[in-house]
Amino acid sequence: MTAPTQQLLGRADGELMRLEAAAAAVASNLVDLDDNTARKDLDRGPLTGRTAAAWADATEALTQLWDGYRMLTALITAARAARDQRRFTDTEKAAYVHQVLGRSITLSTRTVPLAQRGLLGAGQVSTSCSPAELLAAMEAAFKTAVDVATRAGEVWHRLMPEAATVASSLSHLRTLTRSATLDEADRRLGDFTSALATDPLGCDETALAAVRALLDRADAERTSAGELREALTQRLTDAHALADQLAEAARAAAAAEQSVAGRFADTAVATAAGPDLRPDLAALDALAAAGHWALISPRLADWTRRARERLDALRGAAARNAAMLGSRNELRGRLDAYQAKAGRRGLAEDTVLAPLAERARAALYTAPCDLDAARAAVNAYQDAVARLTATTARDGLL
C-alpha cells in the first residue's frame, strides 16, 4: 500500500485532535441535556398532540446521538492508539488516514432480501460515513432534541406559575362568592392545565387569558352582588320597620273599631280587613339568608307596595272611626250646651223644646247611633233654642 503523504498525514492528525476536542464537548453537552429538567419531564410523559410528535422525533435523535457518540469515541480511541505507536508502518499510516478522514464508520448493515437482489448484488448493504459526517449528523440531532426540550421547558417555566396564580385567584374568589362564571372558569382552567402538562408546544395561551377574563367578570359580579346585597339589606331593614308600623296601625285600627262597635250601625263602622303580610316578609328574609339576592328585589318592591297600601287603609279606617266617635261626642256636647242655655232662660220644660231635646238625646245615646239623624235632631233643637231665646229676649224688651 502506498504510504500517505506527509501533508495528508498532517491533515489526519489535525482532524483527530479536532475530533477529540469535539468528543469532549459532546460528552459535556450530552450530560447537560440528560440532566435537563424539561427533558426529564418530557421523558416521564404522558404527552399528547404536537409535543408528543415532536418529542418522538427528539427521542429518535437522542438515540442517534448516543449511538454516534459511542461510535465516535471508539474510533477516536482506536485512531489515537494507532497514531501513538512507536513503529508506524506505511500500511498503518494509510489505515489511520482512512480511519480519521475516510468513510470508516459503519452506521448500519441491512440484509437485502433475496427477491430484491440482482445476480451480482450483495447480500448485505452497509451505510457508512466519515467521522466528520457523523459529527455533523450528531450536531443536527442534538439541535433537534435541544430545540424540543428548550421550547417545552420555556412554556412550562412561563405558564405554570401563571396558571398557579390564576388557580390561587380562583380559590380566593371561591371563598367570597359562588357563581356559574366561577364554575366555567374552573372548568376552563382544568382544561388548560391538563393541556399544558401534556402538550406544552400545542397548548393555547389565550385560554389562560380567557380564564382571567372570567375571574374578572366573576369579581365584578361579586362586587355588584355585594352592592345589591347592601342595598337590599337596607331595604329589608326598612321593610321590617314598615312591618312594625303596620302592627301598630293594626292595633290602633282595632282599638278604634272596638270603640265604635255596637255604638253605630255595622255598615257605618270602617274596617280594614286585609292579608297578613308577615309570612311574605319572612319568606324574603329566608331568601336573603340563602343569598338569593337577585330574587328578592322585585318581591320586596311588591311587598313594600302592598304594605304601604295596607298601612294607609288601617290608618284611614282608624281615622274614620275616631272621627265618627268624635262627631257623636261633639254633638252630645253641643246638645248639653244648648240644653244648659235653655235652662238658664227657663225654657228647659218648654213644650216645643223638650220633645226636640228628648229626640236629639235619644238619637245620640241610643245604639246604634245614626249620626246623620242625630246631627239633624241636634240642629233642630239648636235652631229652636235660638228662636225661642230670641223671642223671649224681644218680649222682655217690650
Side-chain angles (χ1 to χ4, degrees):
M1 178 178 290
T2 304
T5 64
Q6 195 63 33
Q7 182 181 6
L8 192 58
L9 191 60
R11 276 184 56 203
D13 288 343
E15 179 65 6
L16 179 59
M17 292 177 63
R18 187 182 77 85
L19 291 175
E20 287 174 331
V26 167
S28 176
N29 288 328
L30 283 178
V31 169
D32 287 346
L33 178 57
D34 199 50
D35 286 339
N36 181 267
T37 302
R39 186 208 63 78
K40 292 178 181 179
D41 290 338
L42 288 166
D43 260 352
R44 277 193 292 267
L47 302 176
T48 60
R50 289 172 53 190
T51 306
W55 189 241
D57 293 340
T59 300
E60 183 179 351
L62 279 171
T63 301
Q64 294 173 1
L65 261 175
W66 284 106
D67 288 346
Y69 176 71
R70 176 183 54 78
M71 289 185 287
L72 183 64
T73 53
L75 179 140
I76 290 171
T77 300
R80 175 54 64 190
R83 187 68 178 92
D84 289 346
Q85 294 179 102
R86 286 182 178 275
R87 295 182 60 190
F88 203 28
T89 66
D90 290 346
T91 300
E92 290 170 337
K93 289 178 182 178
Y96 165 72
V97 169
H98 173 71
Q99 188 176 32
V100 175
L101 299 178
R103 300 177 69 84
S104 58
I105 298 176
T106 300
L107 297 176
S108 64
T109 300
R110 180 175 64 86
T111 299
V112 180
L114 181 61
Q116 297 178 11
R117 298 179 204 166
L119 178 61
L120 302 178
Q124 290 185 327
V125 177
S126 296
T127 301
S128 60
C129 68
S130 68
E133 290 171 338
L134 176 61
L135 195 59
M138 290 171 63
E139 178 70 23
F142 182 75
K143 286 182 178 179
T144 297
V146 167
D147 175 68
V148 176
T150 301
R151 286 191 293 127
E154 187 276 332
V155 172
W156 279 331
H157 180 74
R158 180 166 49 84
L159 294 184
M160 280 187 169
E162 292 186 26
T165 299
V166 172
S168 177
S169 298
L170 174 60
S171 297
H172 176 65
L173 280 174
R174 283 282 194 203
T175 65
L176 301 177
T177 186
R178 294 171 294 176
S179 72
T181 304
L182 277 184
D183 293 340
E184 176 66 11
D186 197 358
R187 183 189 66 78
R188 291 196 187 187
L189 181 60
D191 292 344
F192 175 79
T193 53
S194 177
L196 179 61
T198 62
D199 188 15
L201 301 183
C203 76
D204 182 6
E205 295 187 32
T206 61
L208 191 59
V211 174
R212 288 196 191 94
L214 286 172
L215 294 184
D216 289 342
R217 188 201 307 171
D219 194 32
E221 290 172 352
R222 178 186 66 84
T223 302
S224 298
E227 293 172 352
L228 176 63
R229 181 170 60 251
E230 183 178 348
L232 288 177
T233 298
Q234 182 58 52
R235 286 173 59 189
L236 277 173
T237 300
D238 295 342
H240 279 280
L242 182 57
D244 291 340
Q245 294 178 45
L246 274 176
E248 179 59 33
R251 286 191 291 271
E257 185 176 346
Q258 184 64 32
S259 68
V260 297
R263 293 180 170 86
F264 300 91
D266 291 342
T267 55
V269 175
T271 60
D276 185 358
L277 299 180
R278 288 173 298 180
D280 291 344
L281 184 57
L284 290 172
D285 287 335
L287 286 175
H292 299 309
W293 298 100
L295 300 177
I296 294 175
S297 185
R299 300 183 187 189
L300 181 56
D302 178 67
W303 185 92
T304 302
R305 177 187 57 77
R306 290 185 290 125
R308 293 192 184 284
E309 290 175 354
R310 176 77 177 135
L311 183 62
D312 290 342
L314 287 169
R315 287 175 173 172
R320 287 193 297 275
N321 288 332
M324 189 163 56
L325 191 61
S327 294
R328 189 205 65 174
N329 291 339
E330 185 271 332
L331 288 173
R332 283 182 174 182
R334 188 143 52 98
L335 177 61
D336 289 343
Y338 274 91
Q339 281 189 302
K341 181 178 180 180
R344 289 194 300 272
R345 298 297 178 89
L347 300 173
E349 301 300 327
D350 183 84
T351 56
V352 174
L353 291 180
L356 291 175
E358 185 60 31
R359 188 179 303 115
R361 184 166 293 277
L364 288 171
Y365 287 91
T366 302
C369 174
D370 182 343
L371 272 181
D372 291 337
R375 184 175 290 105
V378 170
N379 287 340
Y381 178 75
Q382 179 181 336
D383 291 343
V385 169
R387 285 194 305 272
L388 286 175
T389 54
T391 300
T392 302
R394 191 168 53 251
D395 290 345
L397 291 174
L398 294 174

